[in-house]
Amino acid sequence: MKVLSYQELQVWQKAMQCTVELYALVKRLPIDERYGLSDQMRRAALSIPSNIAEGAERNSTKEFVRFIYVAQGSRAELETQLLLCERVGYLSETEIRPILGGLAEIGRMLHALARRLGGSG
């Protein structure tokens, strides 16, 4: 499967949108979390589309699949951090639900992409 540009991948587009939404959401976290949890959440969110892009630009399908798995790990990390924010009372379930839904969809898309590329998914 050859794509002209990583920007054409729907999963990259959705990951970018999720990252934009996450950046807006973390502004609601307490000020004392500015350099803690919110910074970590932004890094995890940014890692998802970044790893998709980097993997797509590699000259190896095997490398692309490896970067998809890294993106999956960052997706799970961000999901965990959002659930923690809800549990400690920083954000409500209503606030995190849209991003969690997007992350679930991104996870399914990454899994399908890895399988199409020959990874075990």
PDB file of all heavy atoms in Angstrom, residues 56-90:
ATOM      1  N   ALA A  56       5.233   6.644   7.914  1.00  0.00           N
ATOM      2  CA  ALA A  56       4.837   6.683   6.502  1.00  0.00           C
ATOM      3  C   ALA A  56       5.977   7.155   5.610  1.00  0.00           C
ATOM      4  O   ALA A  56       6.060   6.767   4.443  1.00  0.00           O
ATOM      5  CB  ALA A  56       3.613   7.575   6.326  1.00  0.00           C
ATOM      6  N   GLU A  57       6.847   7.961   6.154  1.00  0.00           N
ATOM      7  CA  GLU A  57       7.953   8.503   5.374  1.00  0.00           C
ATOM      8  C   GLU A  57       9.176   7.590   5.345  1.00  0.00           C
ATOM      9  O   GLU A  57      10.134   7.864   4.629  1.00  0.00           O
ATOM     10  CB  GLU A  57       8.350   9.884   5.907  1.00  0.00           C
ATOM     11  CG  GLU A  57       7.292  10.949   5.659  1.00  0.00           C
ATOM     12  CD  GLU A  57       7.034  11.194   4.190  1.00  0.00           C
ATOM     13  OE1 GLU A  57       8.011  11.378   3.426  1.00  0.00           O
ATOM     14  OE2 GLU A  57       5.856  11.193   3.790  1.00  0.00           O
ATOM     15  N   ARG A  58       9.143   6.529   6.103  1.00  0.00           N
ATOM     16  CA  ARG A  58      10.240   5.567   6.077  1.00  0.00           C
ATOM     17  C   ARG A  58      10.185   4.785   4.775  1.00  0.00           C
ATOM     18  O   ARG A  58       9.139   4.633   4.163  1.00  0.00           O
ATOM     19  CB  ARG A  58      10.164   4.608   7.267  1.00  0.00           C
ATOM     20  CG  ARG A  58      10.306   5.278   8.613  1.00  0.00           C
ATOM     21  CD  ARG A  58      11.733   5.769   8.793  1.00  0.00           C
ATOM     22  NE  ARG A  58      11.868   6.544  10.009  1.00  0.00           N
ATOM     23  CZ  ARG A  58      12.799   6.329  10.910  1.00  0.00           C
ATOM     24  NH1 ARG A  58      13.667   5.355  10.752  1.00  0.00           N
ATOM     25  NH2 ARG A  58      12.881   7.090  11.976  1.00  0.00           N
ATOM     26  N   ASN A  59      11.303   4.254   4.372  1.00  0.00           N
ATOM     27  CA  ASN A  59      11.377   3.496   3.125  1.00  0.00           C
ATOM     28  C   ASN A  59      11.122   2.012   3.339  1.00  0.00           C
ATOM     29  O   ASN A  59      11.534   1.192   2.517  1.00  0.00           O
ATOM     30  CB  ASN A  59      12.744   3.700   2.459  1.00  0.00           C
ATOM     31  CG  ASN A  59      12.879   5.089   1.888  1.00  0.00           C
ATOM     32  OD1 ASN A  59      11.904   5.664   1.437  1.00  0.00           O
ATOM     33  ND2 ASN A  59      14.074   5.627   1.928  1.00  0.00           N
ATOM     34  N   SER A  60      10.454   1.682   4.421  1.00  0.00           N
ATOM     35  CA  SER A  60      10.252   0.284   4.751  1.00  0.00           C
ATOM     36  C   SER A  60       8.866   0.086   5.353  1.00  0.00           C
ATOM     37  O   SER A  60       8.476   0.805   6.275  1.00  0.00           O
ATOM     38  CB  SER A  60      11.328  -0.146   5.766  1.00  0.00           C
ATOM     39  OG  SER A  60      10.951  -1.294   6.468  1.00  0.00           O
ATOM     40  N   THR A  61       8.153  -0.884   4.829  1.00  0.00           N
ATOM     41  CA  THR A  61       6.841  -1.210   5.384  1.00  0.00           C
ATOM     42  C   THR A  61       6.982  -1.684   6.824  1.00  0.00           C
ATOM     43  O   THR A  61       6.175  -1.328   7.683  1.00  0.00           O
ATOM     44  CB  THR A  61       6.155  -2.285   4.522  1.00  0.00           C
ATOM     45  OG1 THR A  61       6.013  -1.773   3.193  1.00  0.00           O
ATOM     46  CG2 THR A  61       4.793  -2.653   5.068  1.00  0.00           C
ATOM     47  N   LYS A  62       8.022  -2.456   7.093  1.00  0.00           N
ATOM     48  CA  LYS A  62       8.262  -2.948   8.444  1.00  0.00           C
ATOM     49  C   LYS A  62       8.445  -1.783   9.422  1.00  0.00           C
ATOM     50  O   LYS A  62       7.912  -1.806  10.532  1.00  0.00           O
ATOM     51  CB  LYS A  62       9.488  -3.857   8.456  1.00  0.00           C
ATOM     52  CG  LYS A  62       9.802  -4.470   9.797  1.00  0.00           C
ATOM     53  CD  LYS A  62      11.006  -5.389   9.698  1.00  0.00           C
ATOM     54  CE  LYS A  62      11.340  -5.967  11.055  1.00  0.00           C
ATOM     55  NZ  LYS A  62      12.524  -6.825  11.009  1.00  0.00           N
ATOM     56  N   GLU A  63       9.180  -0.770   9.005  1.00  0.00           N
ATOM     57  CA  GLU A  63       9.369   0.414   9.850  1.00  0.00           C
ATOM     58  C   GLU A  63       8.051   1.162  10.049  1.00  0.00           C
ATOM     59  O   GLU A  63       7.767   1.638  11.148  1.00  0.00           O
ATOM     60  CB  GLU A  63      10.409   1.356   9.218  1.00  0.00           C
ATOM     61  CG  GLU A  63      11.820   0.907   9.428  1.00  0.00           C
ATOM     62  CD  GLU A  63      12.255   1.114  10.866  1.00  0.00           C
ATOM     63  OE1 GLU A  63      12.337   2.263  11.327  1.00  0.00           O
ATOM     64  OE2 GLU A  63      12.508   0.090  11.537  1.00  0.00           O
ATOM     65  N   PHE A  64       7.251   1.274   8.994  1.00  0.00           N
ATOM     66  CA  PHE A  64       5.960   1.946   9.092  1.00  0.00           C
ATOM     67  C   PHE A  64       5.095   1.241  10.134  1.00  0.00           C
ATOM     68  O   PHE A  64       4.504   1.882  11.008  1.00  0.00           O
ATOM     69  CB  PHE A  64       5.272   1.979   7.725  1.00  0.00           C
ATOM     70  CG  PHE A  64       4.055   2.861   7.639  1.00  0.00           C
ATOM     71  CD1 PHE A  64       3.672   3.718   8.656  1.00  0.00           C
ATOM     72  CD2 PHE A  64       3.275   2.826   6.493  1.00  0.00           C
ATOM     73  CE1 PHE A  64       2.543   4.527   8.551  1.00  0.00           C
ATOM     74  CE2 PHE A  64       2.147   3.620   6.367  1.00  0.00           C
ATOM     75  CZ  PHE A  64       1.778   4.473   7.405  1.00  0.00           C
ATOM     76  N   VAL A  65       5.047  -0.082  10.071  1.00  0.00           N
ATOM     77  CA  VAL A  65       4.256  -0.850  11.041  1.00  0.00           C
ATOM     78  C   VAL A  65       4.778  -0.607  12.458  1.00  0.00           C
ATOM     79  O   VAL A  65       3.991  -0.426  13.397  1.00  0.00           O
ATOM     80  CB  VAL A  65       4.258  -2.358  10.687  1.00  0.00           C
ATOM     81  CG1 VAL A  65       3.621  -3.179  11.800  1.00  0.00           C
ATOM     82  CG2 VAL A  65       3.524  -2.592   9.362  1.00  0.00           C
ATOM     83  N   ARG A  66       6.075  -0.557  12.619  1.00  0.00           N
ATOM     84  CA  ARG A  66       6.658  -0.301  13.949  1.00  0.00           C
ATOM     85  C   ARG A  66       6.204   1.052  14.492  1.00  0.00           C
ATOM     86  O   ARG A  66       5.826   1.176  15.658  1.00  0.00           O
ATOM     87  CB  ARG A  66       8.182  -0.359  13.881  1.00  0.00           C
ATOM     88  CG  ARG A  66       8.851  -0.239  15.245  1.00  0.00           C
ATOM     89  CD  ARG A  66      10.351  -0.454  15.155  1.00  0.00           C
ATOM     90  NE  ARG A  66      11.032   0.626  14.476  1.00  0.00           N
ATOM     91  CZ  ARG A  66      11.406   1.767  15.065  1.00  0.00           C
ATOM     92  NH1 ARG A  66      11.143   1.974  16.341  1.00  0.00           N
ATOM     93  NH2 ARG A  66      12.041   2.693  14.383  1.00  0.00           N
ATOM     94  N   PHE A  67       6.184   2.070  13.646  1.00  0.00           N
ATOM     95  CA  PHE A  67       5.748   3.388  14.083  1.00  0.00           C
ATOM     96  C   PHE A  67       4.237   3.419  14.358  1.00  0.00           C
ATOM     97  O   PHE A  67       3.783   4.172  15.215  1.00  0.00           O
ATOM     98  CB  PHE A  67       6.151   4.459  13.061  1.00  0.00           C
ATOM     99  CG  PHE A  67       7.564   4.921  13.240  1.00  0.00           C
ATOM    100  CD1 PHE A  67       8.598   4.308  12.555  1.00  0.00           C
ATOM    101  CD2 PHE A  67       7.870   5.965  14.092  1.00  0.00           C
ATOM    102  CE1 PHE A  67       9.912   4.711  12.708  1.00  0.00           C
ATOM    103  CE2 PHE A  67       9.179   6.384  14.265  1.00  0.00           C
ATOM    104  CZ  PHE A  67      10.205   5.760  13.574  1.00  0.00           C
ATOM    105  N   ILE A  68       3.472   2.624  13.655  1.00  0.00           N
ATOM    106  CA  ILE A  68       2.040   2.508  13.946  1.00  0.00           C
ATOM    107  C   ILE A  68       1.854   1.959  15.359  1.00  0.00           C
ATOM    108  O   ILE A  68       1.008   2.442  16.123  1.00  0.00           O
ATOM    109  CB  ILE A  68       1.335   1.622  12.899  1.00  0.00           C
ATOM    110  CG1 ILE A  68       1.267   2.355  11.557  1.00  0.00           C
ATOM    111  CG2 ILE A  68      -0.069   1.228  13.367  1.00  0.00           C
ATOM    112  CD1 ILE A  68       0.815   1.486  10.404  1.00  0.00           C
ATOM    113  N   TYR A  69       2.660   0.968  15.731  1.00  0.00           N
ATOM    114  CA  TYR A  69       2.572   0.412  17.080  1.00  0.00           C
ATOM    115  C   TYR A  69       2.960   1.454  18.139  1.00  0.00           C
ATOM    116  O   TYR A  69       2.367   1.501  19.216  1.00  0.00           O
ATOM    117  CB  TYR A  69       3.445  -0.835  17.216  1.00  0.00           C
ATOM    118  CG  TYR A  69       2.964  -2.014  16.406  1.00  0.00           C
ATOM    119  CD1 TYR A  69       3.873  -2.888  15.825  1.00  0.00           C
ATOM    120  CD2 TYR A  69       1.602  -2.263  16.220  1.00  0.00           C
ATOM    121  CE1 TYR A  69       3.443  -3.982  15.086  1.00  0.00           C
ATOM    122  CE2 TYR A  69       1.173  -3.346  15.476  1.00  0.00           C
ATOM    123  CZ  TYR A  69       2.095  -4.202  14.919  1.00  0.00           C
ATOM    124  OH  TYR A  69       1.661  -5.283  14.194  1.00  0.00           O
ATOM    125  N   VAL A  70       3.942   2.287  17.827  1.00  0.00           N
ATOM    126  CA  VAL A  70       4.325   3.360  18.756  1.00  0.00           C
ATOM    127  C   VAL A  70       3.158   4.337  18.902  1.00  0.00           C
ATOM    128  O   VAL A  70       2.835   4.776  20.018  1.00  0.00           O
ATOM    129  CB  VAL A  70       5.606   4.076  18.284  1.00  0.00           C
ATOM    130  CG1 VAL A  70       5.901   5.289  19.153  1.00  0.00           C
ATOM    131  CG2 VAL A  70       6.794   3.111  18.287  1.00  0.00           C
ATOM    132  N   ALA A  71       2.500   4.675  17.791  1.00  0.00           N
ATOM    133  CA  ALA A  71       1.335   5.555  17.843  1.00  0.00           C
ATOM    134  C   ALA A  71       0.226   4.925  18.690  1.00  0.00           C
ATOM    135  O   ALA A  71      -0.449   5.623  19.459  1.00  0.00           O
ATOM    136  CB  ALA A  71       0.829   5.861  16.432  1.00  0.00           C
ATOM    137  N   GLN A  72       0.044   3.616  18.559  1.00  0.00           N
ATOM    138  CA  GLN A  72      -0.955   2.912  19.379  1.00  0.00           C
ATOM    139  C   GLN A  72      -0.616   3.048  20.862  1.00  0.00           C
ATOM    140  O   GLN A  72      -1.499   3.249  21.693  1.00  0.00           O
ATOM    141  CB  GLN A  72      -1.019   1.422  19.016  1.00  0.00           C
ATOM    142  CG  GLN A  72      -1.880   1.079  17.838  1.00  0.00           C
ATOM    143  CD  GLN A  72      -3.370   1.121  18.121  1.00  0.00           C
ATOM    144  OE1 GLN A  72      -3.878   1.924  18.899  1.00  0.00           O
ATOM    145  NE2 GLN A  72      -4.095   0.263  17.440  1.00  0.00           N
ATOM    146  N   GLY A  73       0.644   2.938  21.187  1.00  0.00           N
ATOM    147  CA  GLY A  73       1.062   3.087  22.583  1.00  0.00           C
ATOM    148  C   GLY A  73       0.771   4.481  23.108  1.00  0.00           C
ATOM    149  O   GLY A  73       0.279   4.642  24.237  1.00  0.00           O
ATOM    150  N   SER A  74       1.049   5.489  22.308  1.00  0.00           N
ATOM    151  CA  SER A  74       0.762   6.871  22.710  1.00  0.00           C
ATOM    152  C   SER A  74      -0.736   7.097  22.851  1.00  0.00           C
ATOM    153  O   SER A  74      -1.188   7.815  23.750  1.00  0.00           O
ATOM    154  CB  SER A  74       1.341   7.852  21.691  1.00  0.00           C
ATOM    155  OG  SER A  74       2.751   7.761  21.679  1.00  0.00           O
ATOM    156  N   ARG A  75      -1.514   6.451  22.001  1.00  0.00           N
ATOM    157  CA  ARG A  75      -2.972   6.557  22.080  1.00  0.00           C
ATOM    158  C   ARG A  75      -3.462   5.981  23.405  1.00  0.00           C
ATOM    159  O   ARG A  75      -4.261   6.603  24.111  1.00  0.00           O
ATOM    160  CB  ARG A  75      -3.611   5.816  20.904  1.00  0.00           C
ATOM    161  CG  ARG A  75      -5.125   5.942  20.834  1.00  0.00           C
ATOM    162  CD  ARG A  75      -5.747   4.805  20.042  1.00  0.00           C
ATOM    163  NE  ARG A  75      -5.394   3.496  20.562  1.00  0.00           N
ATOM    164  CZ  ARG A  75      -5.960   2.944  21.645  1.00  0.00           C
ATOM    165  NH1 ARG A  75      -6.883   3.570  22.327  1.00  0.00           N
ATOM    166  NH2 ARG A  75      -5.575   1.739  22.047  1.00  0.00           N
ATOM    167  N   ALA A  76      -2.954   4.824  23.786  1.00  0.00           N
ATOM    168  CA  ALA A  76      -3.351   4.209  25.054  1.00  0.00           C
ATOM    169  C   ALA A  76      -2.889   5.051  26.241  1.00  0.00           C
ATOM    170  O   ALA A  76      -3.605   5.178  27.245  1.00  0.00           O
ATOM    171  CB  ALA A  76      -2.775   2.792  25.142  1.00  0.00           C
ATOM    172  N   GLU A  77      -1.711   5.632  26.127  1.00  0.00           N
ATOM    173  CA  GLU A  77      -1.194   6.510  27.177  1.00  0.00           C
ATOM    174  C   GLU A  77      -2.124   7.704  27.381  1.00  0.00           C
ATOM    175  O   GLU A  77      -2.498   8.037  28.509  1.00  0.00           O
ATOM    176  CB  GLU A  77       0.210   6.987  26.795  1.00  0.00           C
ATOM    177  CG  GLU A  77       0.853   7.916  27.790  1.00  0.00           C
ATOM    178  CD  GLU A  77       2.222   8.403  27.341  1.00  0.00           C
ATOM    179  OE1 GLU A  77       2.725   7.968  26.279  1.00  0.00           O
ATOM    180  OE2 GLU A  77       2.794   9.232  28.055  1.00  0.00           O
ATOM    181  N   LEU A  78      -2.525   8.335  26.296  1.00  0.00           N
ATOM    182  CA  LEU A  78      -3.403   9.494  26.387  1.00  0.00           C
ATOM    183  C   LEU A  78      -4.775   9.109  26.943  1.00  0.00           C
ATOM    184  O   LEU A  78      -5.348   9.829  27.765  1.00  0.00           O
ATOM    185  CB  LEU A  78      -3.552  10.166  25.021  1.00  0.00           C
ATOM    186  CG  LEU A  78      -4.440  11.400  24.970  1.00  0.00           C
ATOM    187  CD1 LEU A  78      -3.984  12.468  25.960  1.00  0.00           C
ATOM    188  CD2 LEU A  78      -4.471  11.957  23.547  1.00  0.00           C
ATOM    189  N   GLU A  79      -5.291   7.982  26.516  1.00  0.00           N
ATOM    190  CA  GLU A  79      -6.570   7.503  27.041  1.00  0.00           C
ATOM    191  C   GLU A  79      -6.486   7.333  28.560  1.00  0.00           C
ATOM    192  O   GLU A  79      -7.380   7.756  29.296  1.00  0.00           O
ATOM    193  CB  GLU A  79      -6.915   6.178  26.366  1.00  0.00           C
ATOM    194  CG  GLU A  79      -8.246   5.601  26.761  1.00  0.00           C
ATOM    195  CD  GLU A  79      -8.507   4.308  26.011  1.00  0.00           C
ATOM    196  OE1 GLU A  79      -8.086   3.236  26.516  1.00  0.00           O
ATOM    197  OE2 GLU A  79      -9.095   4.376  24.928  1.00  0.00           O
ATOM    198  N   THR A  80      -5.407   6.743  29.034  1.00  0.00           N
ATOM    199  CA  THR A  80      -5.201   6.537  30.468  1.00  0.00           C
ATOM    200  C   THR A  80      -5.143   7.870  31.203  1.00  0.00           C
ATOM    201  O   THR A  80      -5.748   8.038  32.278  1.00  0.00           O
ATOM    202  CB  THR A  80      -3.897   5.741  30.700  1.00  0.00           C
ATOM    203  OG1 THR A  80      -4.038   4.464  30.084  1.00  0.00           O
ATOM    204  CG2 THR A  80      -3.579   5.578  32.170  1.00  0.00           C
ATOM    205  N   GLN A  81      -4.456   8.834  30.633  1.00  0.00           N
ATOM    206  CA  GLN A  81      -4.331  10.143  31.272  1.00  0.00           C
ATOM    207  C   GLN A  81      -5.681  10.862  31.341  1.00  0.00           C
ATOM    208  O   GLN A  81      -5.996  11.514  32.342  1.00  0.00           O
ATOM    209  CB  GLN A  81      -3.293  10.978  30.533  1.00  0.00           C
ATOM    210  CG  GLN A  81      -1.898  10.403  30.690  1.00  0.00           C
ATOM    211  CD  GLN A  81      -0.928  10.821  29.606  1.00  0.00           C
ATOM    212  OE1 GLN A  81      -1.310  11.394  28.583  1.00  0.00           O
ATOM    213  NE2 GLN A  81       0.342  10.522  29.810  1.00  0.00           N
ATOM    214  N   LEU A  82      -6.488  10.724  30.298  1.00  0.00           N
ATOM    215  CA  LEU A  82      -7.821  11.322  30.320  1.00  0.00           C
ATOM    216  C   LEU A  82      -8.687  10.674  31.398  1.00  0.00           C
ATOM    217  O   LEU A  82      -9.410  11.373  32.132  1.00  0.00           O
ATOM    218  CB  LEU A  82      -8.490  11.185  28.949  1.00  0.00           C
ATOM    219  CG  LEU A  82      -7.968  12.125  27.875  1.00  0.00           C
ATOM    220  CD1 LEU A  82      -8.401  11.651  26.493  1.00  0.00           C
ATOM    221  CD2 LEU A  82      -8.440  13.552  28.130  1.00  0.00           C
ATOM    222  N   LEU A  83      -8.614   9.360  31.501  1.00  0.00           N
ATOM    223  CA  LEU A  83      -9.390   8.658  32.536  1.00  0.00           C
ATOM    224  C   LEU A  83      -8.924   9.060  33.932  1.00  0.00           C
ATOM    225  O   LEU A  83      -9.741   9.208  34.852  1.00  0.00           O
ATOM    226  CB  LEU A  83      -9.291   7.150  32.326  1.00  0.00           C
ATOM    227  CG  LEU A  83      -9.984   6.627  31.064  1.00  0.00           C
ATOM    228  CD1 LEU A  83      -9.613   5.169  30.817  1.00  0.00           C
ATOM    229  CD2 LEU A  83     -11.486   6.812  31.146  1.00  0.00           C
ATOM    230  N   LEU A  84      -7.632   9.284  34.102  1.00  0.00           N
ATOM    231  CA  LEU A  84      -7.117   9.753  35.378  1.00  0.00           C
ATOM    232  C   LEU A  84      -7.674  11.142  35.703  1.00  0.00           C
ATOM    233  O   LEU A  84      -8.079  11.411  36.841  1.00  0.00           O
ATOM    234  CB  LEU A  84      -5.590   9.781  35.365  1.00  0.00           C
ATOM    235  CG  LEU A  84      -4.951  10.339  36.640  1.00  0.00           C
ATOM    236  CD1 LEU A  84      -5.239   9.425  37.825  1.00  0.00           C
ATOM    237  CD2 LEU A  84      -3.469  10.534  36.440  1.00  0.00           C
ATOM    238  N   CYS A  85      -7.701  12.015  34.702  1.00  0.00           N
ATOM    239  CA  CYS A  85      -8.256  13.360  34.907  1.00  0.00           C
ATOM    240  C   CYS A  85      -9.700  13.298  35.395  1.00  0.00           C
ATOM    241  O   CYS A  85     -10.104  14.081  36.257  1.00  0.00           O
ATOM    242  CB  CYS A  85      -8.185  14.173  33.609  1.00  0.00           C
ATOM    243  SG  CYS A  85      -6.545  14.794  33.233  1.00  0.00           S
ATOM    244  N   GLU A  86     -10.448  12.359  34.851  1.00  0.00           N
ATOM    245  CA  GLU A  86     -11.830  12.198  35.312  1.00  0.00           C
ATOM    246  C   GLU A  86     -11.851  11.681  36.750  1.00  0.00           C
ATOM    247  O   GLU A  86     -12.600  12.194  37.590  1.00  0.00           O
ATOM    248  CB  GLU A  86     -12.577  11.237  34.395  1.00  0.00           C
ATOM    249  CG  GLU A  86     -14.014  11.020  34.833  1.00  0.00           C
ATOM    250  CD  GLU A  86     -14.719   9.910  34.084  1.00  0.00           C
ATOM    251  OE1 GLU A  86     -14.066   9.117  33.387  1.00  0.00           O
ATOM    252  OE2 GLU A  86     -15.952   9.838  34.227  1.00  0.00           O
ATOM    253  N   ARG A  87     -11.037  10.687  37.047  1.00  0.00           N
ATOM    254  CA  ARG A  87     -11.050  10.078  38.385  1.00  0.00           C
ATOM    255  C   ARG A  87     -10.643  11.045  39.490  1.00  0.00           C
ATOM    256  O   ARG A  87     -11.150  10.958  40.607  1.00  0.00           O
ATOM    257  CB  ARG A  87     -10.154   8.847  38.423  1.00  0.00           C
ATOM    258  CG  ARG A  87     -10.741   7.685  37.686  1.00  0.00           C
ATOM    259  CD  ARG A  87      -9.904   6.448  37.850  1.00  0.00           C
ATOM    260  NE  ARG A  87     -10.474   5.352  37.085  1.00  0.00           N
ATOM    261  CZ  ARG A  87     -10.131   4.097  37.251  1.00  0.00           C
ATOM    262  NH1 ARG A  87      -9.215   3.765  38.145  1.00  0.00           N
ATOM    263  NH2 ARG A  87     -10.707   3.157  36.519  1.00  0.00           N
ATOM    264  N   VAL A  88      -9.710  11.940  39.183  1.00  0.00           N
ATOM    265  CA  VAL A  88      -9.274  12.897  40.219  1.00  0.00           C
ATOM    266  C   VAL A  88     -10.112  14.169  40.210  1.00  0.00           C
ATOM    267  O   VAL A  88      -9.880  15.062  41.024  1.00  0.00           O
ATOM    268  CB  VAL A  88      -7.767  13.219  40.112  1.00  0.00           C
ATOM    269  CG1 VAL A  88      -6.924  11.974  40.307  1.00  0.00           C
ATOM    270  CG2 VAL A  88      -7.428  13.932  38.821  1.00  0.00           C
ATOM    271  N   GLY A  89     -11.067  14.249  39.303  1.00  0.00           N
ATOM    272  CA  GLY A  89     -11.985  15.381  39.295  1.00  0.00           C
ATOM    273  C   GLY A  89     -11.535  16.599  38.515  1.00  0.00           C
ATOM    274  O   GLY A  89     -12.133  17.665  38.632  1.00  0.00           O
ATOM    275  N   TYR A  90     -10.497  16.472  37.716  1.00  0.00           N
ATOM    276  CA  TYR A  90     -10.051  17.605  36.905  1.00  0.00           C
ATOM    277  C   TYR A  90     -10.972  17.851  35.719  1.00  0.00           C
ATOM    278  O   TYR A  90     -11.175  18.992  35.309  1.00  0.00           O
ATOM    279  CB  TYR A  90      -8.635  17.372  36.365  1.00  0.00           C
ATOM    280  CG  TYR A  90      -7.541  17.423  37.396  1.00  0.00           C
ATOM    281  CD1 TYR A  90      -6.302  16.877  37.116  1.00  0.00           C
ATOM    282  CD2 TYR A  90      -7.711  18.019  38.652  1.00  0.00           C
ATOM    283  CE1 TYR A  90      -5.264  16.916  38.035  1.00  0.00           C
ATOM    284  CE2 TYR A  90      -6.689  18.055  39.579  1.00  0.00           C
ATOM    285  CZ  TYR A  90      -5.464  17.498  39.263  1.00  0.00           C
ATOM    286  OH  TYR A  90      -4.441  17.542  40.164  1.00  0.00           O
TER     287      TYR A  90
END
